[in-house]
Amino acid sequence: MPDEFTVTPWEVKGKVDYDKLIVQFGTQKITEELKQRMRNLVGELHVMLRRNVFFSHRDLDLVLNDYEKGKGFFLYTGRAPSLGMHIGHLIPFIFTKWLQDKFNVNLYIEITDDEKFMRNPEYTLDQTRSWAYDNILDIIAVGFNPDKTFIFQDTEYIRNMYPIAVKIAKKLTFSEVRATFGLDVSSNIGLIFYPALQIAPTMFEKKRCLIPAGIDQDPYWRLQRDIAESLGYYKAAQIHSKFLPPLTGPEGKMSSSNPETAIYLVDDPKTVERKIMKYAFSGGQPTIELHRKYGGNPEIDVPFQWLYYFFEEDDNRIKEIEEEYRSGKMLTGELKQILIDKLNNFLEEHRRRREEAKELVHVFKYDGKLAKQMWERIHE
């Protein structure tokens, strides 16, 4: 069937039906009522909430209950380091920053230099540690609160996490981990233990933990939800995003291993222009005459989708662009140019902040208010 799709933590293919996925995964849709609650609490909604880019959740209602009662909550996200981050990698971090700013909560960012090393036979630990540093610069550049954010590498923070990780590991069976993480009998034993380290930060505080991530990551947290209460902690709550489509078309998700599907954070203005003009999938007609007559289809047009997801935050302007493109008044090349300008402005600012981040790495990892507290703690 042409409408079939696959979403697992290690593979996304086909055109994803997000309503079906909610049913498949057993998550909840973010309702208008839930969005209104958030608006009432913090005064506004992020563009990615307004436009249903973040569309599904587990226990977000309970997180808001805790916040209203003064119990609070904390945020947790992470990154498997790679040689260069692309725009798709940054989306969850941008939204996480908004959550931190609006709710004024602690954030823990796990950099899994260990897992990346163990999962790829050709990588050395020195390589994954070096990529971790580079990726941390990009993450800091998003603009998190240095007093309320702790960025840690597993290979460095393992001493502090190990006791709680051991308790978690004892609760997880090999068959559960194998099924959830796509392992088999040839997988190295490091990968079998690793899920305990990924679950550990959800237990850094005796509060509810909220994890913003792509919906493909949801299965990982089901393991945590199965065991958390038996260890005296809350089940992790999640807020799930859709996938920013790859440049090459509206199916699947962006891939680091396929450069023409992605815009990298290091791409210069000429590269951005070339990639968008050459590879960005268009919903327009084959000729200008036909386009003027029949108009374009924003639903399958990748430049429009990127603008809609994040890069054009003004709701009136995005509506205007959509109407002009549908009517044929706006041509494909004009729409692509709007995205090119937005992307290049965004990337120029990001690179400026990334340079400044070099002076802040020690604050987020070791010397900031939260970081100092975390190095003094052993998680039991």
Side-chain angles (χ1 to χ4, degrees):
M1 284 172 62
D3 63 347
E4 282 183 358
F5 61 90
T6 304
V7 174
T8 68
W10 51 92
E11 180 184 43
V12 176
K13 65 180 188 192
K15 182 147 178 60
V16 179
D17 181 327
Y18 289 103
D19 289 330
K20 269 190 193 168
L21 198 56
I22 284 176
V23 176
Q24 272 179 27
F25 278 16
T27 64
Q28 282 79 46
K29 193 170 187 172
I30 297 177
T31 60
E32 288 306 314
E33 181 191 10
L34 203 51
K35 285 197 254 186
Q36 191 54 51
R37 272 187 78 188
M38 288 186 84
R39 189 185 273 115
N40 292 344
L41 285 171
V42 299
E44 61 176 5
L45 287 180
H46 191 272
V47 62
M48 288 190 255
L49 273 173
R50 295 200 306 270
R51 297 183 190 161
N52 299 317
V53 174
F54 278 83
F55 72 105
S56 152
H57 75 100
R58 290 186 191 273
D59 293 348
L60 180 61
D61 50 337
L62 301 183
V63 169
L64 297 182
N65 289 351
D66 286 353
Y67 182 77
E68 285 168 345
K69 289 174 189 164
K71 285 186 191 173
F73 65 95
F74 68 97
L75 293 162
Y76 165 40
T77 187
R79 168 105 190 109
S82 69
L83 182 60
M85 287 173 67
H86 58 57
I87 288 284
H89 293 142
L90 221 52
I91 294 287
F93 288 107
I94 290 165
F95 183 66
T96 302
K97 172 191 156 43
W98 181 83
L99 289 170
Q100 184 184 49
D101 288 348
K102 292 296 174 187
F103 290 95
N104 194 29
V105 290
N106 287 344
L107 163 63
Y108 301 95
I109 301 176
E110 181 175 39
I111 308 294
T112 60
D113 52 355
D114 51 348
E115 187 238 8
K116 193 73 169 193
F117 163 67
M118 293 186 287
R119 202 174 266 281
N120 296 275
E122 67 278 18
Y123 295 164
T124 68
L125 192 53
D126 282 345
Q127 277 179 306
T128 61
R129 283 170 167 164
S130 155
W131 299 337
Y133 174 76
D134 277 345
N135 289 186
I136 286 167
L137 295 180
D138 284 313
I139 290 166
I140 291 172
V142 172
F144 297 108
N145 180 342
D147 282 329
K148 287 183 172 284
T149 306
F150 177 47
I151 301 176
F152 60 99
Q153 280 170 244
D154 284 345
T155 55
E156 293 181 359
Y157 199 61
I158 185 68
R159 166 68 189 95
N160 302 64
M161 284 196 291
Y162 195 64
I164 192 70
V166 168
K167 290 177 184 176
I168 293 163
K170 194 174 178 180
K171 299 267 183 186
L172 301 173
T173 68
F174 173 57
S175 60
E176 286 170 330
V177 168
R178 180 168 68 174
T180 306
F181 282 76
L183 307 178
D184 58 38
V185 289
S186 68
S187 300
N188 65 62
I189 60 172
L191 285 173
I192 297 161
F193 180 76
Y194 167 73
L197 293 177
Q198 184 166 305
I199 289 170
T202 66
M203 301 175 186
F204 278 180
E205 297 186 24
K206 288 275 187 177
K207 294 177 181 176
R208 214 177 292 275
C209 167
L210 177 61
I211 302 166
I215 192 160
D216 55 329
Q217 303 300 300
D218 178 76
Y220 290 159
W221 308 113
R222 287 178 216 163
L223 291 177
Q224 190 275 1
R225 289 172 64 83
D226 288 343
I227 65 167
E229 290 177 344
S230 71
L231 288 166
Y233 292 88
Y234 289 102
K235 291 179 179 183
Q238 292 129 73
I239 183 164
H240 305 119
S241 72
K242 297 173 180 175
F243 308 113
L244 186 69
L247 285 179
T248 44
E251 297 187 0
K253 75 171 191 176
M254 235 180 282
S255 167
S256 295
S257 55
N258 198 351
E260 65 267 20
T261 68
I263 295 291
Y264 288 86
L265 303 181
V266 293
D267 283 349
D268 61 41
K270 283 272 178 273
T271 306
V272 170
E273 184 174 14
R274 181 182 60 79
K275 282 186 177 178
I276 299 295
M277 286 302 185
K278 187 173 179 182
Y279 298 119
F281 186 85
S282 167
Q285 303 295 339
T287 67
I288 290 177
E289 290 74 21
L290 287 171
H291 189 85
R292 293 284 190 217
K293 188 174 180 184
Y294 297 112
N297 178 0
E299 269 90 49
I300 62 166
D301 190 280
V302 170
F304 178 81
Q305 289 299 319
W306 280 31
L307 288 167
Y308 186 82
Y309 267 54
F310 173 66
F311 287 101
E312 179 47 79
E313 293 187 36
D314 184 322
D315 290 341
N316 292 325
R317 178 63 183 135
I318 198 74
K319 197 162 176 267
E320 200 176 73
I321 291 170
E322 182 177 359
E323 286 166 0
E324 288 187 7
Y325 193 58
R326 275 192 198 281
S327 71
K329 184 181 175 188
M330 182 179 287
L331 299 173
T332 294
E334 293 169 329
L335 180 57
K336 285 184 171 183
Q337 193 58 53
I338 293 171
L339 179 62
I340 289 164
D341 293 343
K342 293 271 182 191
L343 276 172
N344 280 330
N345 288 339
F346 175 85
L347 290 172
E348 186 184 349
E349 175 64 11
H350 178 81
R351 283 192 282 266
R352 185 187 66 74
R353 296 178 70 123
R354 191 181 190 277
E355 273 305 305
E356 293 172 359
K358 291 174 182 174
E359 304 300 316
L360 295 169
V361 173
H362 68 98
V363 178
F364 282 91
K365 288 183 76 182
Y366 311 113
D367 300 329
K369 191 175 170 188
L370 182 60
K372 271 185 176 161
Q373 290 169 10
M374 293 304 288
W375 282 104
E376 287 164 11
R377 286 182 61 196
I378 303 292
H379 304 278
E380 293 282 355

